[in-house]
Each structure stands twice: as structure tokens, then as C-alpha cells.
Amino acid sequence: MSQKVSLVLSSGGCRGIAHIGVIEELLNDGYDITSISGSSIGSLIGGIYASGNIERFKEWVCQLDEVDVFDLMDFTFTGQGFIKAERFFRNLEEFIGCKTFEELKIPLAVVAADLTHREEVVFDKGNLLLAIRASVAIPSIVTPVFYKDMILVDGGVVSPIPTDCIKRSEGDVLVVVDVNANIPYEKPNFNSLAPRQKSFSVKRKVFEFVKNNFNLTGNEKIENEGKPGYLSVIDKTFDIMQDRICRLTIVQEKPGIKVEISRHAATTFEFYRAQELIEAGKSAYRIAKENLTQKINQ
């Protein structure tokens, strides 16, 4: 009988694509993932896996380039955030597949933060798409979700590593994947897929203009001069905010396997680096397994 795993997937923007690599390695090692909890990007990857569509999503996300990611951003001029994320979620609906938690192949818990009542909200039944959309609503970037009497935003605000809400089973192993670890990043070796031929579009011209004239995502040269881009400032703010919560959670829960991916691996919206991040997840899992083996043998 396969060893059961309860899998906790952290928040962390596009670095959460590394969760796919960890999942693949767990399955290759013969583990049986019997439940998942996720915060922010962790809830998205968890929902897609629990729907049974992770391979299709991986194929799609690995073909995105910078302009494709820009094209998924439906900008809006409100005081609640500058991305509505409706276009992004229209693309994701086919990969999430299921409309409700009850349709999923395995139990899933999704975490969001309620600004109205200043508390954590855990979804594990009902509208799956609404829960995931709320969980990824990065404050000041992605518009929040208004549900009942709540204003819901990114789960990473209150619970970047949501170990407290996962459904455990007797004899399982708790596996925590943290993509916000304050450790050096070593770029993995991998064979890049051949990119699809991209046609000319007005969107591509707009993207080039924005990239060359506005430091939105953060240009490395300008960053080194002490002038971070808007999203870089948000990234660094979230890093500081989540640091202590993540460390305390790991210490208190003592997971059976702790997989750490460096927070320096990527910034929030670098989804066009999916292949690299998936490989980074695989590499981090192998390191975690090696460390566990050494600990057992000591």
C-alpha cells in the first residue's frame, strides 16, 4: 500500500509553479496524495491537481512568454487593485474543471483573508472557483472578492503555509512546500521546450512600450540602483510580512518532509519561467528527501 501524504502548498506568487515539480516527484516516489491545503497560488495548484488536470495546465503554462502573461492581465483603474483577473480565470476554469469542492477527487482546503472581520477564512465546500479567486487576490494588485459580508483577499496575508486546516488521515506524512524560503537560489539545469511561434499583435507592441518606459515589474539594472519596480515593492513587503509566520508554522507543525524553494527564484508574475520553476521544485524535493535520509541515518 502506498504511503499517504497530506500536502500543504504555500503562497508565493508564480514561485508556486514549483509546487507542480514537487507533486510530480512525490508521485514518482509512489506517494498517495490524499488531501491538500493551499494558500494563494498553492490553492490554485492544489485545485487543479485535485481536479485531475495538472498535466494539461503544466503544458499550457510552460508555453507562456512574457507577452502572454501581460495579455492575461486585465487592467482596471480602481482603488482596490489594478488587475481584475477575470481574463486569467477564464483561461484557468478549464484546468480547474470542477465548479465545487464536492466534485474534486481528493479533499482540498483553500485559505483566504477576510478584511472585514480581520480573520482567516477556510473554504472546503461549495463554490471552488470563488474560493480560489479570493485566495489569490494579492492586496493592492488583484481586486478582492466581495462575498456575503466579507472582503476576501490573498490567503498569504494570514496563513502562507496553511497546515491548520488540512484534512489528515491515520498514518499519513505531512509534506509542506514553502516557496518563500530565505535561502540562496540555484538555477536548475533543464531542457527548455521549443517555444510556440508567436504572431504579431498590438498587445505585444503595448507590452514592449510598458516594459521599456515603466519600471512596473522591476528592471534588474534599475533595481541594483535602489529603484525597485512597483511589483518588486509589493513582493518584498509580502516577504517581510510572511517570514515570521512561515518560520513559526514550520517549527510548530514539524512536517515529515519540508520542501523549501528560495524566495529569490522569481517575482510574483514571472509565469513565463514555468519550466525552470517546475524543475526548481523537483530539485528542492530531492534535497529535502536527501536531508531526511541523512537525519534518519544519524
Side-chain angles (χ1 to χ4, degrees), residues 40 132-140 142-145 152-155 157:
S40 194
I132 295 174
R133 170 63 180 82
S135 187
V136 302
I138 305 170
S140 80
V142 179
T143 55
V145 170
L152 299 171
V153 297
D154 195 297
V157 170

Side-chain angles (χ1 to χ4, degrees), residues 113-125:
D114 174 18
L115 297 183
T116 303
H117 303 96
R118 302 188 178 194
E119 62 185 11
E120 173 183 309
V121 178
V122 179
F123 293 93
D124 57 11
K125 61 177 71 71

Side-chain angles (χ1 to χ4, degrees), residues 27-82:
L27 297 178
N28 287 338
D29 277 354
Y31 287 104
D32 179 19
I33 301 172
T34 53
S35 63
I36 299 176
S37 67
S39 186
S40 194
I41 185 68
S43 73
L44 174 62
I45 300 301
I48 293 172
Y49 176 76
S51 296
N53 296 313
I54 198 71
E55 282 300 320
R56 288 176 53 230
F57 173 75
K58 175 184 174 181
E59 182 180 353
W60 175 76
V61 76
C62 284
Q63 287 291 348
L64 296 179
D65 65 11
E66 283 186 89
V67 183
D68 293 325
V69 175
F70 179 75
D71 192 35
L72 290 170
M73 297 182 187
D74 42 0
F75 296 101
T76 181
F77 297 99
T78 73
Q80 302 157 3
F82 66 84

Side-chain angles (χ1 to χ4, degrees), residues 185-220:
Y185 177 61
E186 294 186 15
K187 186 174 180 178
N189 294 319
F190 65 100
N191 295 320
S192 180
L193 297 174
R196 292 178 300 173
Q197 190 67 31
K198 306 290 183 179
S199 60
F200 170 83
S201 70
V202 173
K203 204 77 170 184
R204 291 183 179 275
K205 296 297 290 184
V206 172
F207 169 76
E208 290 299 329
F209 176 79
V210 171
K211 183 178 180 180
N212 293 332
N213 292 277
F214 301 94
N215 190 28
L216 180 65
T217 58
N219 175 278
E220 185 175 352

Side-chain angles (χ1 to χ4, degrees), residues 7 44 60 104 145 195 200 212 223 230 240 295:
L7 180 62
L44 174 62
W60 175 76
L104 296 173
V145 170
F200 170 83
N212 293 332
E223 292 260 334
Y230 177 78
I240 295 170
K295 185 177 179 180

